[in-house]
Amino acid sequence: MLVIAVVNLKGGSRKTTTTGFLGAAFHEGGLRVLGVDADGENESLARWQSGADLPWPVIGMAVPNLHKTLPGVAGDRYDVAVIDTPPMKAQRGTVLSAVRLATHVVVPMAPTPVEYDRLAAVKELIEESADLRPDGRPPVNAVLLTGVTKRAASTAFYRQQAEEAGWKVLQAEVIHSQRFSQAWGDPIKNAAKGPYGAAAEELLDLEPEEARA
Amino acid sequence: MTPKTRAEQLAEKTKRLEARQQTGAGHQEAAPSHVPHSTAAEPVLAKPVRSTLDLPPATHRDLQAWLGEAAVRLGRARVTKQDVLEAMVRRLLVDETLARLILADLKERQ
């Protein structure tokens, strides 16, 4: 089972939207998808599932030992688990646990100063997870630029900043649009054809960090 | 031949990675059930005595959550029940105030 954790320590960084669309993209490919809502405070993914009757299950699992609990719960019944993680600093243990288990980490980030400012803390957490993982290396991880304004210079600027800080930044970009900003609570259609599908495909093509160089 | 849709390509790539995962080539397995966490030397002659503990499910859940937070606060990979219980018992045996509080709890439950 691939485990894709959507992580950003900052709130309002489109984690739930990203998790929902990634899950939908994999589901459209006929894969058995499990959504995991690790954000016990908001439970946005779980409520999206029930509100829109998404065709793949979402379970609530806001626990700091998610890396142990989830494999037991999921068993071999799913091909992909997508985890929506909490933003709160106090729940860093839950985020770390999700990253510890993840095969892939997506960091949604709008190209703005306030979002870029928190990126270093995410990197620190991902690197910390390496020590806790059986193979001693971090999960495959990348930044996904979201809320992008067309033709804005900020996109290229923050892409370059993130790359210079050692991040892999996916070529796929999620343009700011009503389709995504108003998506929560509605059924998700054609996710694979859009930027999230492209992002998922790119992510799966990435090699683990040690093999990149 | 009809070109593959992105959804189909995603499915193919996922299956390929899952297969690699199962053969252990290039991907992580689930986290191990234990992580070495103690560097204290094992006593050579005094074998530890194992004690088991039954907790109500809600208390167990709260304890698990506490252990996770404690690990973060201590900057450690994990804090185990063993760590906590050992520390608590050590303190109980030397701290009269704590001993009194525990006795009061026990009395209240009688």
Side-chain angles (χ1 to χ4, degrees), chain A:
Chain A
M1 179 175 75
L2 301 190
V3 179
I4 299 177
V6 180
V7 172
N8 194 321
L9 299 182
K10 184 184 170 300
S13 54
R14 301 176 176 84
K15 286 188 291 293
T16 303
T17 305
T18 300
T19 312
F21 273 86
L22 287 177
F26 285 110
H27 177 78
E28 288 167 14
L31 296 165
R32 300 168 301 168
V33 175
L34 175 66
V36 179
D37 193 332
D39 184 357
E41 193 171 327
N42 297 304
E43 295 180 334
S44 304
L45 187 65
R47 289 189 293 121
W48 191 354
Q49 200 284 332
S50 56
D53 195 21
L54 299 179
W56 37 281
V58 173
I59 56 168
M61 197 173 277
V63 292
N65 63 347
L66 198 144
H67 61 284
K68 283 187 179 175
T69 313
L70 182 58
V73 171
D76 57 2
R77 295 189 297 279
Y78 299 96
D79 299 308
V80 185
V82 286
I83 308 177
D84 188 21
T85 62
M88 303 300 289
K89 206 174 178 180
Q91 289 166 287
R92 191 173 185 274
T94 302
V95 182
L96 181 61
S97 183
V99 172
R100 187 172 168 179
L101 175 68
T103 54
H104 298 77
V105 171
V106 179
V107 184
M109 184 193 89
T112 61
V114 66
E115 298 229 354
Y116 179 73
D117 183 55
R118 300 306 305 274
L119 210 51
V122 180
K123 190 156 199 66
E124 193 181 302
L125 183 139
I126 291 174
E127 283 168 1
E128 187 183 330
S129 78
D131 293 337
L132 306 173
R133 294 162 59 90
D135 60 2
R137 57 187 176 185
V140 172
N141 61 87
V143 166
L144 170 63
L145 293 175
T146 58
V148 169
T149 305
K150 281 183 186 172
R151 292 183 292 280
S154 58
T155 310
F157 176 76
Y158 284 106
R159 172 181 288 279
Q160 188 184 347
Q161 291 286 303
E163 285 173 348
E164 284 175 3
W167 285 95
K168 168 69 188 174
V169 183
L170 299 175
Q171 287 304 310
E173 292 173 355
V174 183
I175 303 294
H176 177 70
S177 76
Q178 294 292 299
R179 181 187 175 201
F180 301 120
S181 59
Q182 302 294 326
W184 186 86
D186 287 333
I188 305 170
K189 291 175 185 166
N190 298 322
K193 283 184 186 168
Y196 285 105
E201 203 176 353
E202 261 188 81
L203 189 71
L204 297 193
D205 281 337
L206 295 178
E207 289 296 325
E209 214 152 90
E210 280 181 356
R212 261 190 214 163

Side-chain angles (χ1 to χ4, degrees), chain B residues 15-76:
Chain B
K15 292 289 183 190
R16 201 158 53 234
L17 287 177
E18 275 189 294
R20 273 172 65 182
Q21 212 175 24
Q22 277 156 18
T23 56
H27 263 276
Q28 301 84 13
E29 292 167 10
S33 58
H34 69 279
V35 173
H37 63 281
S38 171
T39 54
E42 291 291 329
V44 178
L45 298 175
K47 191 179 173 190
V49 178
R50 172 155 296 191
S51 296
T52 55
L53 177 69
D54 292 322
L55 290 173
T59 309
H60 183 261
R61 204 164 45 241
D62 291 346
L63 176 60
Q64 288 297 117
W66 190 92
L67 293 173
E69 292 300 329
V72 173
R73 288 170 69 169
L74 294 172
R76 285 169 50 174

